[in-house]
């Protein structure tokens, strides 16, 4: 290197990859570059020399050049320069500035290297560990997903099979229900005609032989007519019940207030004769079948009037508890009441708690009400105290405009 060569060019030549020791095991390349950079700094007396010291210090650290080796390199290079420049004060100052710059940068780089590298290595290790755990978790999730998919598939197949069985069972039940309703209707219809004929013949016989019948014969004829009428009512009730067994009329808006007015008009004679008082609250329209709704409340109201306590007139109260999607209608009375042990029995076909002479009826009315309640999507409930009265309640779906 000549004195006219700039120090930064000398440094650039020194950093040529071809001049570096690729293994980093020999410090000769650094020593040569250090000497050249120091000479350039002293002889040129410029900032470029100090910049070369800065760059050289950063390059020395990855080559694993120890600080003692650097000081040996510096001593050898500075001695040669002092000999060439006669140990001048300017030369000494330039050498000192160069080595101070070099050592300052080297120290800062070394500290950063010692703190950054372990931290980076730890971060890399942590990341690799997290990635391994993530891969393991992903594998476990995949295995669980496969297991879950298999369980869902198996459960779905089981449910489909059970659904098929239930559908077939439901079809059989519906068919049996239809056949039962058709059979009941046919039998009841066939019984209706003989019952009417017996009643008509009894009336004709009474008219034709009224003058020749003695008291016993007249009483027997009256019993025949009463029995025939009772049989006709029973047949009518059975027919009504059979219609409800398989009744699937489309549900529509039912004006309950109008239905109750019509029922009270039909029961006018019974209300007047029993001196009953019927109080009706305003009931909103519901979703249902008008015919079944009328049968339901007609049976409940007529029972409230019929099963009255001796010595006090019937008091019937119809109330409505209105909610956003439904209305609970309750028919209460002050009649004879029902003992708790008979609550389930009264809803069974042809089950009666009293003799026909005491309280006439077929024993079908409340069974019919229970069936209608089920058809309307509700359940008929009962609260009662013997000797105090009864309350029958049902929740019905409100009609929302």
């Amino acid at each position: 290197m000549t004195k006219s060569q700039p120090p930064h060019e000398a440094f650039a030549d020194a950093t040529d990859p071809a001049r570096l020791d690729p293994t980093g095991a020999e410090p000769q390349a650094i020593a040569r570059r250090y000497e050249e950079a120091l000479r350039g700094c002293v002889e040129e007396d410029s900032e470029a020399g100090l910049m070369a010291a800065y760059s050289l210090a950063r390059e020395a650290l990855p080559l694993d050049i120890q600080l003692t080796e650097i000081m040996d390199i510096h001593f050898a290079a500075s001695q040669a320069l002092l000999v060439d420049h006669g140990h001048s004060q300017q030369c000494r100052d330039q050498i000192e500035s160069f080595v101070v710059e070099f050592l300052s940068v080297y120290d800062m780089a070394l500290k950063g290297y010692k703190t950054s590298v372990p931290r980076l290595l730890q971060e890399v290790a942590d990341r690799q560990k997290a990635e391994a755990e993530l891969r393991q978790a992903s594998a476990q999730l995949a295995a669980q997903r496969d297991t879950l998919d298999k369980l869902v598939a198996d459960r779905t197949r089981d449910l489909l099979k059970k659904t098929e069985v239930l559908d077939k069972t439901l079809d059989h039940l519906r068919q049996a229900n239809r056949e039962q309703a058709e059979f009941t209707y046919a039998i009841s219809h066939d019984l209706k005609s003989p019952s009417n004929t017996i009643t008509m013949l009894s009336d004709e016989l009474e008219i034709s032989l009224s003058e020749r019948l003695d008291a016993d014969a007249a009483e027997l004829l009256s019993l025949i007519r009463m029995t025939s009428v009772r049989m006709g009512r029973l047949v009518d009730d059975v027919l009504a019940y059979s219609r409800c067994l398989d009744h699937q009329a489309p549900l529509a808006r039912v004006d309950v207030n109008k239905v109750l007015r019509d029922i009270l008009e039909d029961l006018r004679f019974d209300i007047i004769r029993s001196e009953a008082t019927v109080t009706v609250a305003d009931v909103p329209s519901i979703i249902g079948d008008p015919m079944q709704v009328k049968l339901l409340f007609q049976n409940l109201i007529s029972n409230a009037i019929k099963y009255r306590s001796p010595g006090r007139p019937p008091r019937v109260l119809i109330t409505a508890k209105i909610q956003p999607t439904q209305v609970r209608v309750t028919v209460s009375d002050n009649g004879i009441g029902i003992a708790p042990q008979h609550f389930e029995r009264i809803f069974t076909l042809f089950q009666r708690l009293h003799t026909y002479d005491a309280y006439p009826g077929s024993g079908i009315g409340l069974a019919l009400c229970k069936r209608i309640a089920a058809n309307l999507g509700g359940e008929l409930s009962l609260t009662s105290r013997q000797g105090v009265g009864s309350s029958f309640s049902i929740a019905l779906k409100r009609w929302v405009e």
Side-chain angles (χ1 to χ4, degrees):
M1 170 180 170
T2 64
K3 292 184 179 181
S4 60
Q5 186 180 19
H8 63 275
E9 292 182 5
F11 179 74
D13 292 340
T15 57
D16 189 331
R19 300 179 60 189
L20 294 177
D21 181 11
T23 65
E26 298 181 359
Q28 287 83 358
I30 289 294
R32 184 172 58 255
R33 292 167 58 196
Y34 188 92
E35 181 181 354
E36 293 173 353
L38 179 60
R39 183 176 293 278
C41 179
V42 171
E43 294 178 352
E44 296 295 331
D45 190 18
S46 64
E47 292 293 331
L50 296 178
M51 292 298 297
Y54 174 84
S55 299
L56 186 59
R58 294 181 62 83
E59 292 291 334
L61 185 63
L63 296 177
D64 199 21
I65 304 299
Q66 303 298 316
L67 189 58
T68 56
E69 294 178 292
I70 291 174
M71 295 310 298
D72 290 341
I73 291 170
H74 172 73
F75 180 78
S78 62
Q79 288 301 312
L81 280 172
L82 288 172
V83 171
D84 291 344
H85 291 274
H87 296 270
S88 65
Q89 187 61 41
Q90 181 180 0
C91 179
R92 292 177 182 276
D93 292 341
Q94 292 291 345
I95 290 173
E96 183 179 353
S97 297
F98 185 90
V99 73
V100 168
E101 182 71 18
F102 182 93
L103 291 176
S104 297
V105 174
Y106 187 87
D107 181 63
M108 289 187 295
L110 181 61
K111 290 179 179 178
Y113 183 81
K114 287 183 177 180
T115 57
S116 300
V117 170
R119 185 176 68 251
L120 291 174
L121 291 176
Q122 184 62 41
E123 291 179 357
V124 171
D126 292 342
R127 181 172 296 180
Q128 290 176 343
K129 180 181 178 182
E131 291 176 352
E133 292 176 350
L134 181 60
R135 285 193 295 271
Q136 183 179 4
S138 299
Q140 292 176 350
L141 287 175
Q144 293 175 358
R145 184 182 63 248
D146 294 340
T147 302
L148 182 60
D149 290 343
K150 185 177 183 302
L151 289 174
V152 170
D154 294 342
R155 183 67 59 84
T156 301
R157 283 194 296 270
D158 293 340
L159 288 176
L160 289 175
K161 291 180 181 178
K162 292 179 180 178
T163 301
E164 292 177 359
V165 173
L166 288 175
D167 288 341
K168 291 180 180 179
T169 303
L170 183 60
D171 290 339
H172 290 323
L173 289 175
R174 286 173 177 168
Q175 180 63 26
N177 205 26
R178 284 193 294 269
E179 292 175 355
Q180 178 186 355
E182 292 171 358
F183 175 78
T184 304
Y185 182 83
I187 294 297
S188 302
H189 186 270
D190 291 344
L191 290 175
K192 182 71 175 177
S193 180
S195 173
N196 291 338
T197 301
I198 292 173
T199 302
M200 182 186 66
L201 292 176
S202 298
D203 292 339
E204 290 293 332
L205 187 61
E206 184 178 15
I207 294 172
S208 301
L209 302 177
S210 59
E211 296 180 356
R212 288 178 286 178
L213 291 176
D214 56 22
D216 292 339
E219 183 179 358
L220 289 174
L221 190 59
S222 176
L223 289 174
I224 292 173
R225 185 171 61 254
M226 290 175 58
T227 303
S228 177
V229 170
R230 178 182 173 185
M231 181 179 179
R233 290 176 180 173
L234 178 61
V235 171
D236 289 338
D237 289 342
V238 172
L239 283 173
Y241 184 81
S242 66
R243 292 191 187 99
C244 291
L245 286 177
D246 193 40
H247 188 76
Q248 297 181 356
L251 300 180
R253 177 179 179 273
V254 180
D255 185 349
V256 181
N257 290 324
K258 182 180 183 305
V259 170
L260 293 175
R261 287 194 299 269
D262 293 343
I263 292 173
L264 295 181
E265 185 63 28
D266 294 340
L267 297 175
R268 176 186 291 272
F269 177 75
D270 293 334
I271 294 173
I272 295 174
R273 184 180 61 180
S274 62
E275 299 180 351
T277 301
V278 182
T279 304
V280 182
D282 184 60
V283 182
S285 297
I286 65 167
I287 301 173
D289 173 32
M291 181 197 75
Q292 294 194 33
V293 172
K294 184 174 182 180
L295 282 173
L296 171 66
F297 288 110
Q298 184 168 344
N299 275 281
L300 294 178
I301 296 172
S302 63
N303 280 354
I305 296 172
K306 179 169 62 175
Y307 293 99
R308 58 185 178 271
S309 292
R312 65 175 183 235
R315 296 291 182 265
V316 182
L317 178 62
I318 302 173
T319 59
K321 183 178 180 181
I322 302 173
Q323 297 176 347
T325 59
Q326 68 177 16
V327 54
R328 178 170 291 278
V329 183
T330 303
V331 179
S332 303
D333 62 59
N334 64 338
I336 60 176
I338 303 169
Q341 62 268 27
H342 299 313
F343 279 10
E344 292 186 7
R345 179 183 172 189
I346 62 172
F347 291 107
T348 306
L349 279 172
F350 305 114
Q351 291 297 317
R352 296 175 50 84
L353 304 181
H354 310 280
T355 64
Y356 185 86
D357 293 336
Y359 295 100
S362 61
I364 295 179
L366 288 178
L368 177 62
C369 291
K370 184 178 180 180
R371 167 63 67 172
I372 292 175
N375 290 348
L376 297 176
E379 183 177 358
L380 190 61
S381 61
L382 165 65
T383 58
S384 182
R385 289 179 59 191
Q386 200 166 12
V388 177
S390 303
S391 294
F392 291 87
S393 178
I394 180 175
L396 301 169
K397 296 179 181 178
R398 283 190 62 185
W399 175 271
V400 180
E401 299 291 347

